Amino acid sequence: MPVRKQDVVTHGPTRGAEIDRRSFLAAGSAGLAWAGLGGAIRNVHAATPPYSFRHGVFEITVLSDGYFFLPPPGTARDVGFLYPDVPRAALETFMKGIGQGMDRVQLPNNVVLVRSSSDLMLIDTGAGAGWQPTAGKLVENLRSAGIDPARITKVIFTHAHPDHLWGVANGDGALHFPNASYVVSAAEWNFWMADDVLNKVPENFRPFALGARRDLSRIRDKLETRNPDDEIVSGLRLMATFGHTPGHVSVEIAGADPLVIAGDVVANAAVSFAHPEWRFGIDALPDVAIRSRQRLLDRAASEKMRLLGSHWPYPGLGTVERVGSAYRFVASN
Ligand SMILES: [Zn+2]
């Protein structure tokens, strides 16, 4: 255990973290400004084949939306921003131990397609062209898999961050999934669409808020807000996993053992299974997020539940084992 409990500050971001957060502003703006600049790199993940499996009455397919970096291109190359309470030396030791540096992390962006007898449903829409040039490949990979985006009947959002929402439309605002209805949690809608949201988020997260308002507005006439535990179709329901964003939900899919599409409850598998108690710099409500993370991982370890994470090694499907007070991800594919 590289970090002693007493070394972890559990209240309030450090001054250093505030500075890092400011540098992240440039990142968000860069993310917006980078739209359309990624042609050369864009094909790297184009050929990632879909990964499909049966689960109960559902057929689940994971599609790659490409990948992205945190902190984003254009900002300081320093993962300290992501784990602001962990003493630098301890973080360095930990990252070295998992074979990673202090530069930045590269995360895949996995998007889940669920086929039922009545519906073809996407859980999140990937990043679109506006986030980072290596992401936003969902539509291309859907087409490669022989799936016309016009056939999608429902889109369920785990939350309204760029890498999950901004793929809903192209740069001109035309919807990629024109025949779908959309589901977002009421808490998520209420947070991002509140008139004063720009005053409530740190300055460097304003591009996230502006993007959420832009894209949620684009689908407002086709969107319904739902609550945790609501069933969206028979056997598929929302689960409250608030904290990463104020209304972040997971999607529980019934089968012999439960399957939970966990979104960003654990954003970076390499770090947060081993240290679920570490605050994550992009969580809006870090302490709430830690409780959601620990609750879900504890349940998954006890119930033989399978989890699928948006940014875990593709296709992101696996089970959870307990290791002392922490956890280990065991990939299923
Ligand atoms: Zn994400």
Side-chain angles (χ1 to χ4, degrees):
M1 182 80 80
V3 177
R4 289 170 297 143
K5 244 202 164 56
Q6 60 267 34
D7 286 335
V8 178
V9 180
T10 54
H11 46 83
T14 62
R15 193 174 171 77
E18 282 304 315
I19 292 164
D20 285 345
R21 277 172 184 265
R22 278 201 295 278
S23 73
F24 196 66
L25 168 62
S29 306
L32 289 170
W34 272 42
L37 297 182
I41 312 173
R42 203 162 272 279
N43 287 326
V44 171
H45 273 218
T48 304
Y51 176 83
S52 295
F53 58 99
R54 297 288 310 180
H55 182 78
V57 299
F58 301 96
E59 184 186 321
I60 315 286
T61 299
V62 186
L63 295 141
S64 172
D65 186 54
Y67 59 94
F68 61 90
F69 298 94
L70 290 178
T75 55
R77 290 171 167 261
D78 182 1
V79 298
F81 165 77
L82 300 174
Y83 306 100
D85 298 337
V86 184
R88 190 156 188 92
L91 185 60
E92 221 165 322
T93 303
F94 177 83
M95 295 304 283
K96 206 169 172 185
I98 60 170
Q100 296 191 16
M102 290 290 284
D103 187 6
R104 57 179 49 158
V105 294
Q106 178 180 324
L107 298 175
N109 206 20
N110 311 318
V111 179
V112 175
L113 178 77
V114 182
R115 193 190 302 265
S116 72
S117 56
S118 59
D119 280 282
L120 197 54
M121 295 169 276
L122 273 178
I123 300 177
D124 295 330
T125 57
W131 170 231
Q132 293 184 23
T134 51
K137 312 212 62 72
L138 173 65
V139 168
E140 192 176 333
N141 280 331
L142 272 171
R143 289 194 195 283
S144 298
I147 299 159
D148 180 354
R151 285 172 47 213
I152 302 294
T153 60
K154 279 186 173 41
V155 175
I156 302 164
F157 289 106
T158 60
H159 63 297
H161 271 169
D163 47 319
H164 301 258
L165 170 66
W166 290 9
V168 76
N170 69 18
D172 299 325
L175 298 183
H176 282 138
F177 313 103
N179 299 314
S181 61
Y182 296 83
V183 173
V184 66
S185 87
E188 190 73 354
W189 172 272
N190 291 340
F191 175 75
W192 294 110
M193 298 309 279
D195 290 338
D196 59 348
V197 66
L198 292 177
N199 299 324
K200 288 194 292 198
V201 298
E203 193 185 5
N204 49 333
F205 281 87
R206 284 186 186 162
F208 283 27
L210 292 169
R213 292 171 71 83
R214 176 198 63 208
D215 284 345
L216 291 174
S217 297
R218 283 171 170 163
I219 52 175
R220 135 177 260 147
D221 294 343
K222 300 175 168 217
L223 177 146
E224 58 175 340
T225 57
R226 302 294 291 268
N227 292 302
D229 300 327
D230 281 358
E231 199 167 59
I232 307 304
V233 299
S234 180
L236 186 150
R237 69 181 187 88
L238 303 185
M239 176 195 284
T241 46
F242 297 160
H244 180 64
T245 59
H248 183 286
V249 290
S250 299
V251 178
E252 184 168 359
I253 304 177
D257 296 316
L259 168 68
V260 171
I261 312 304
D264 284 5
V265 177
V266 178
N268 185 355
V271 176
S272 293
F273 278 97
H275 283 291
E277 81 286 8
W278 282 0
R279 285 175 160 215
F280 179 52
I282 298 179
D283 287 342
L285 306 170
D287 295 327
V288 177
I290 288 168
R291 286 197 291 279
S292 291
R293 185 152 58 236
Q294 289 177 322
R295 198 181 310 125
L296 182 65
L297 294 181
D298 187 58
R299 196 183 146 198
S302 300
E303 295 181 21
K304 290 201 307 186
M305 178 188 274
R306 281 195 295 176
L307 300 182
L308 203 157
S310 295
H311 311 308
W312 304 348
Y314 181 85
L317 177 69
T319 54
V320 178
E321 288 178 355
R322 264 194 201 88
V323 185
S325 60
Y327 302 90
R328 174 168 43 224
F329 174 65
V330 183
S332 296
N333 55 302

